[in-house]
Amino acid sequence: MKLSDSVAFRRTVTGVLLFVAPLLQFVALLVDPGTWGDDREILSYGDNPALAQLESALYHWSWVLVPIAAVGLLHLVRRRSVAFGHIAGGMTIIGYISVSALLLMDPVEWWFGQHYPVEQGQKMFDEVFNLPGVIFGFTLPWIYLGMVGLPLLVLAVSRTGFVHWWVPAVVAVGYLGAIPVPYSPLTIPFWGAPVIAMGYLGLKVLRMTNAEWASYYPSADPGVTTPDSYANTTA
């Protein structure tokens, strides 16, 4: 793949991130002390601060990469499910960027747990992160937009015929089904399922030829800008 070939570059990045982003989230779940320890993270993070910081970094990069992958998926809904797909894509992008910002609460929670009694540390943490600016600027309703938007975006892609119905179904069951489940080892099968479904979608993208990817661009009508490589793509 030539980096100067915009078609191949965008297709490859989209395909790789569709697999890598959910995989990073799944690994973060596995290494998170809060998954296996006390449900009060102010305590469980203190049990293994190194893993707590690794978990935060993994979640951060997973949730930063999902919006980039979503932009790539929007390419596949240029002709069918256009409005539905782009609304779902916008929800996904806004939601995942917002929830990534909240990961700064993890080191704060760990630090409070290391320097104050549990009850006092938890009270201080709650006072900080229950500020209206935090809740309405970062939390509500933004973080839920990503949880709902990503399954809807994959559904829009499936409506174009690119993948079968089971792909968005598995993504929806994995992410939406995990919401009422306590964050614990019970979350593992839920967040593991989208790794398979999103990975399959990513593999489909990687197996496309450059010409197939470029075929989703608008026709070269007067006034329409198309990539330089659109007219001369290679498999």
Side-chain angles (χ1 to χ4, degrees), residues 6 25 53 84 91 114 124 131 145 148 155 160 195 209 223:
S6 64
Q25 176 178 288
Q53 294 173 68
F84 175 55
M91 293 171 59
Q114 292 289 298
M124 294 168 61
L131 291 171
L145 293 183
V148 176
L155 175 61
T160 68
V195 176
T209 65

Side-chain angles (χ1 to χ4, degrees), residues 147-231:
M147 299 177 187
V148 176
L150 182 57
L152 291 178
L153 176 57
V154 179
L155 175 61
V157 172
S158 74
R159 291 178 63 184
T160 68
F162 188 76
V163 290
H164 296 296
W165 62 269
W166 67 267
V167 178
V170 170
V171 174
V173 169
Y175 289 141
L176 298 179
I179 294 176
V181 176
Y183 186 78
S184 66
L186 295 175
T187 312
I188 292 175
F190 287 96
W191 283 9
V195 176
I196 298 173
M198 297 290 287
Y200 172 79
L201 177 55
L203 185 61
K204 289 272 292 184
V205 171
L206 290 173
R207 285 181 172 177
M208 296 175 72
T209 65
N210 290 345
E212 289 172 335
W213 179 267
S215 69
Y216 284 86
Y217 287 114
S219 300
D221 296 328
V224 176
T225 302
T226 56
D228 294 336
S229 54
Y230 171 74

